[in-house]
Amino acid sequence: MPQLSQSIVVSPPAGVPQSVTDWVTSIAELTKPDTVHWCDGSLAERDQLYAQMVDSGMFVELNQDKRPGCYLARSAPSDVARVESRTFICSENPDDAGPTNNWANPTTMRETLHRVFEGSMRGRTMYVIPFSMGPLGGPISKLGIEITDSPYVVVSMRMMTRMGTPALERINAGEYWVPAVHSVGCPLIDEAGNRHAEVAWPCNDDKYICHFPETREIWSYGSGYGGNALLGKKCYALRIASVLARDEDWLAEHMLILRVTRESDGRQFHLTAAFPSACGKTNLAMLRPTIPGWKVETIGDDIAWMRPGRDGRLYAINPEAGFFGVAPGTSEKTNPTALHALDHDTIFTNVALTDDGDVWWEGMTKQPPSHLIDWQGNDWTPTSGRPAAHPNSRFTVHAGQAESIAPDWEAPQGVPVDAILFGGRRSRTVPLISEAYDWNHGVFVGATVSSRQTAAAEGAVGALRRDPFAMLPFCGYNMADYWAHWLKMGELLGDQAPLIFQVNWFRRDADDHFLWPGFGDNSRAIEWALRRVAGEVPAVDAISGRLPASGDLNIDGLDLPAERLAMLFALDPDAWDEEADLSEEYFAQFGDRVPAELRRQLEALRTRITEARQPESSKNLVTA
Ligand code: GTP
Ligand code: SPV
Ligand code: MN
């Protein structure tokens, strides 16, 4: 029986420093895999893993005539989304994690992790994945090594990051890297030496997604899904990177990056936008304007790393190399660009399988097929009374496959940011678009974002929750300190700081129907924001910020009666008063760590509410 003991040889490739070998050896000694494989990132390696996963039942090969290079994975029903309740920030001091994070004592957590990782890879291969977040060698990019026992993680990391030998060579040359350890927690050989049958989706009911901000380490156990397991994404590029960014004067954000070019004069604008999980980042990143004169190119759909450049402006890169996007709702109507990107070389997880070996999900077509195999592998018909695809089913695809990708999306220095958008799912209160009065007001707007919860994480879907900067589940330190960091960045950027806007595509009428068509028509709101950046249009001061003046929002060709347009911008002082009370309550839990400036912003908001109540105030009406 293959038994890895103290004598394990991890056989590193030539040039690997002793410190890296020692770390990999220590993890192998702890987890006791059968073999250790150093990933080179080659096509041959990928194809070998694909074949092995088809063999083991983890992958279903899709119809290769219809979807060449495409596979379907079905996860365990207990492992379908991020697990926020099992995500921990293990800082020395609990106050450094803050009230919105789960804190765990680092010493105790290390003991727990040691216990659960002990022998957790028995009978499996341990993969060593060197990767770069951001273009290799770029001034904003950073390296990491993920150790995992999941081949699904290996092939996903190959699409989502720059993975393999070139990244390892930079580590060999002595560049900084972050260690990340992952196990699905499902050994194939038990302690007594008995071998168990492989399952389609190995995982463990006990889950730990742990971050050590002081030592900058990631340890993840028990889940093989998405952000729990692809550790370059939320664990590194947001939770650990937000800590690095705080210490090094940059920003690691849950934001898409977009370039919009005005065809009349060729002027380019760059936007970033923070929306909570499953609230439209991928859709906006691939926007197809319904108004003439604008061209949109995609740079990123989920994460932005932003740094002041030598010219004093803020520059953004996409640290990822692929999209891990929400499948349901993706259609020829809502996001044709994403749909077309999935024609080939895509990994689908938890979508439905058609009788001819293709994929389907809710919203892909108006008429569902008459028969499907659902995401759990069961027969499904339109009368089954349950979704065929899991609401958090996803596609994993290389970013270069999107026809909207900017030709220079991998430019290592990034793109200069002109405007930053904050948004969420709000049925009432928040207008379609509103410009912050200045950077500090924008930080207040970001800090007070609320949104209806989606299926991207476990929990009550539909419940309204605070999600400041769309970073609630992703900020690696005290959220109030994070707000202070944003205020400080505003000081550093001075008058070169991007303009900040709040948007809401999700406002509803009394019958609960969306007031705004959304998707491609969001270009209309973007156009107004960019004309503000260019200093070409005036704006009207209001409670929430500055609104478009009458007639400035382009609604040509839109079937939007004047009263519905007015409803999209209606600002009810009573509702805003309630909002201000809730913000004050929310801030209270952070005690005196809340920056004084945000309290001043709250007072300024209350003053604007009082002013709006004056009978002569007729400010808040936007009309065509
Ligand atoms: P993560 O990958 O989880 O961080 O999320 P994301 O923000 O990239 O989510 P994504 O763009 O995939 O959001 C998808 C959901 O938002 C789908 O249900 C879409 O139908 C919905 N959505 C996106 N844009 C709009 C819009 O303009 N209007 C409306 N009503 N829904 C939208
Ligand atoms: C999100 O939940 O914001 C995602 C998906 O982007 S995951 O990578 O699973 O976190
Ligand atoms: Mn996300």
Side-chain angles (χ1 to χ4, degrees):
M1 174 176 323
Q3 188 98 113
L4 263 183
S5 62
Q6 309 306 83
S7 62
I8 180 174
V9 181
V10 302
S11 309
V16 170
Q18 194 60 42
S19 56
V20 174
T21 305
D22 288 349
W23 174 68
V24 172
T25 305
S26 72
I27 304 301
E29 283 173 357
L30 175 65
T31 58
K32 302 186 172 51
D34 268 4
T35 48
V36 177
H37 175 85
W38 294 72
C39 300
D40 60 17
S42 65
L43 274 176
E45 177 181 79
R46 180 199 72 179
D47 291 342
Q48 191 274 323
L49 287 169
Y50 281 177
Q52 173 194 322
M53 287 157 77
V54 169
D55 242 29
S56 77
M58 194 169 207
F59 264 2
V60 174
E61 188 179 70
L62 294 170
N63 183 328
Q64 296 297 300
D65 294 327
K66 291 197 143 184
R67 299 225 183 233
C70 292
Y71 296 85
L72 166 65
R74 296 189 191 109
S75 79
S78 60
D79 195 23
V80 293
R82 282 183 296 101
V83 282
E84 294 178 5
S85 63
R86 305 301 302 163
T87 300
F88 300 94
I89 302 297
C90 309
S91 49
E92 297 291 338
N93 182 341
D95 287 342
D96 291 336
T100 55
N101 278 313
N102 297 312
W103 176 78
N105 177 302
T107 309
T108 317
M109 185 54 88
R110 275 183 205 288
E111 285 163 15
T112 304
L113 291 171
H114 201 271
R115 175 171 54 76
V116 296
F117 273 91
E118 166 81 48
S120 73
M121 297 187 188
R122 276 202 186 87
R124 296 193 180 279
T125 298
M126 181 176 115
Y127 301 94
V128 182
I129 311 173
F131 63 94
S132 173
M133 298 312 291
L136 273 155
I140 311 182
S141 305
K142 290 195 183 289
L143 299 158
I145 302 181
E146 175 167 355
I147 288 179
T148 182
D149 54 5
S150 163
Y152 173 89
V153 167
V154 177
V155 296
S156 299
M157 286 289 284
R158 189 177 181 279
M159 289 197 196
M160 297 301 296
T161 73
R162 283 85 177 172
M163 182 272 256
T165 304
L168 184 61
E169 280 167 354
R170 303 200 79 91
I171 291 169
N172 293 349
E175 281 184 38
Y176 176 77
W177 60 281
V178 165
V181 187
H182 171 250
S183 172
V184 293
C186 189
L188 285 171
I189 298 172
D190 64 25
E191 268 173 83
N194 303 308
R195 185 171 275 275
H196 298 273
E198 179 62 296
V199 289
W201 186 270
C203 62
N204 195 300
D205 284 344
D206 207 13
K207 293 178 177 33
Y208 295 91
I209 321 295
C210 300
H211 309 75
F212 295 83
E214 278 101 5
T215 52
R216 286 139 195 203
E217 285 165 81
I218 301 158
W219 288 76
S220 168
Y221 177 86
S223 168
Y225 201 86
N228 299 330
L230 314 178
L231 302 185
K233 199 172 175 58
K234 307 301 179 165
C235 297
Y236 185 170
L238 290 177
R239 298 195 192 96
I240 294 294
S242 62
V243 172
L244 300 172
R246 175 198 60 192
D247 295 348
E248 299 167 1
D249 288 342
W250 53 284
L251 295 165
E253 302 300 328
H254 192 202
M255 290 180 177
L256 66 95
I257 312 171
L258 190 66
R259 171 182 297 147
V260 189
T261 307
R262 177 156 61 188
E263 280 158 354
S264 59
D265 60 359
R267 178 160 172 186
Q268 291 189 344
F269 302 84
H270 296 96
L271 283 149
T272 65
F275 306 153
S277 301
C279 289
K281 287 186 300 302
T282 303
N283 280 272
L284 188 61
M286 299 175 185
L287 178 76
R288 290 207 186 176
T290 51
I291 49 175
W294 300 92
K295 179 178 146 199
V296 170
E297 291 165 296
T298 309
I299 294 165
D301 86 324
D302 196 44
I303 300 177
W305 283 0
M306 301 188 283
R307 240 181 222 278
R310 241 174 263 150
D311 60 0
R313 300 184 69 189
L314 188 63
Y315 283 78
I317 66 158
N318 172 10
E320 301 192 277
F323 306 127
F324 181 61
V326 178
T330 307
S331 71
E332 197 61 54
K333 269 218 165 105
T334 58
N335 193 345
T337 303
L339 200 65
H340 301 166
L342 312 180
D343 280 350
H344 64 98
D345 295 294
T346 302
I347 300 170
F348 297 92
T349 307
N350 289 344
V351 303
L353 177 67
T354 67
D355 290 346
D356 59 352
D358 202 354
V359 289
W360 191 83
W361 47 76
E362 276 65 27
M364 182 198 246
T365 54
K366 250 204 182 120
Q367 282 295 338
S370 56
H371 177 262
L372 292 165
I373 302 296
D374 74 6
W375 68 276
Q376 299 195 63
N378 300 316
D379 285 308
W380 183 96
T381 67
T383 58
S384 290
R386 59 174 196 276
H390 187 278
N392 191 40
S393 54
R394 297 216 172 215
F395 52 80
T396 311
V397 68
H398 188 256
Q401 284 185 208
E403 54 211 21
S404 62
I405 200 77
D408 56 342
W409 72 282
E410 301 192 89
Q413 74 281 7
V415 295
V417 180
D418 297 290
I420 298 175
L421 272 47
F422 293 117
R425 291 178 185 258
R426 291 299 300 268
S427 310
R428 325 236 171 271
T429 319
V430 179
L432 178 70
I433 185 161
S434 153
E435 179 190 336
Y437 286 106
D438 53 27
W439 179 271
N440 287 0
H441 178 225
V443 174
F444 175 78
V445 166
T448 52
V449 165
S450 302
S451 188
R452 301 212 167 269
Q453 203 177 328
T454 66
E458 99 276 45
V461 172
L464 189 66
R465 70 170 187 177
R466 296 264 151 182
D467 192 348
F469 288 76
M471 283 288 278
L472 176 70
F474 307 122
C475 185
Y477 60 104
N478 190 307
M479 184 63 82
D481 296 353
Y482 166 90
W483 299 333
H485 177 60
W486 263 81
L487 292 168
K488 179 184 170 197
M489 291 301 294
E491 277 168 34
L492 288 179
L493 292 163
D495 60 7
Q496 304 254 61
L499 295 189
I500 298 179
F501 298 84
Q502 179 169 35
V503 299
N504 179 22
W505 317 140
F506 299 91
R507 200 149 170 175
R508 291 173 191 258
D509 62 16
D511 298 327
D512 231 26
H513 295 124
F514 287 123
L515 281 162
W516 182 246
F519 303 103
D521 285 314
N522 294 335
S523 55
R524 299 168 186 275
I526 303 287
E527 177 189 60
W528 181 74
L530 298 182
R531 295 187 69 200
R532 287 292 299 163
V533 167
E536 295 167 355
V537 280
V540 182
D541 290 1
I543 294 176
S544 62
R546 299 188 173 120
L547 305 185
S550 196
D552 277 348
L553 184 77
N554 179 352
I555 55 163
D556 291 354
L558 207 58
D559 181 20
L560 187 69
E563 69 274 12
R564 287 179 78 82
L565 176 64
M567 282 163 78
L568 275 164
F569 286 93
L571 296 166
D572 170 17
D574 292 339
W576 275 86
D577 212 21
E578 233 170 89
E579 196 72 22
D581 288 346
L582 291 171
S583 295
E584 188 168 353
E585 250 173 65
Y586 186 67
F587 284 172
Q589 65 181 313
F590 299 93
D592 55 15
R593 280 174 104 123
V594 176
E597 175 59 24
L598 291 194
R599 296 196 191 281
R600 270 195 293 279
Q601 288 294 335
L602 186 62
E603 281 323 300
L605 171 62
R606 288 196 192 282
T607 306
R608 291 197 298 275
I609 294 168
T610 308
E611 282 170 9
R613 283 191 166 125
Q614 308 302 316
E616 71 273 18
S617 163
S618 61
K619 281 172 179 172
N620 304 330
L621 264 191
V622 176
T623 50

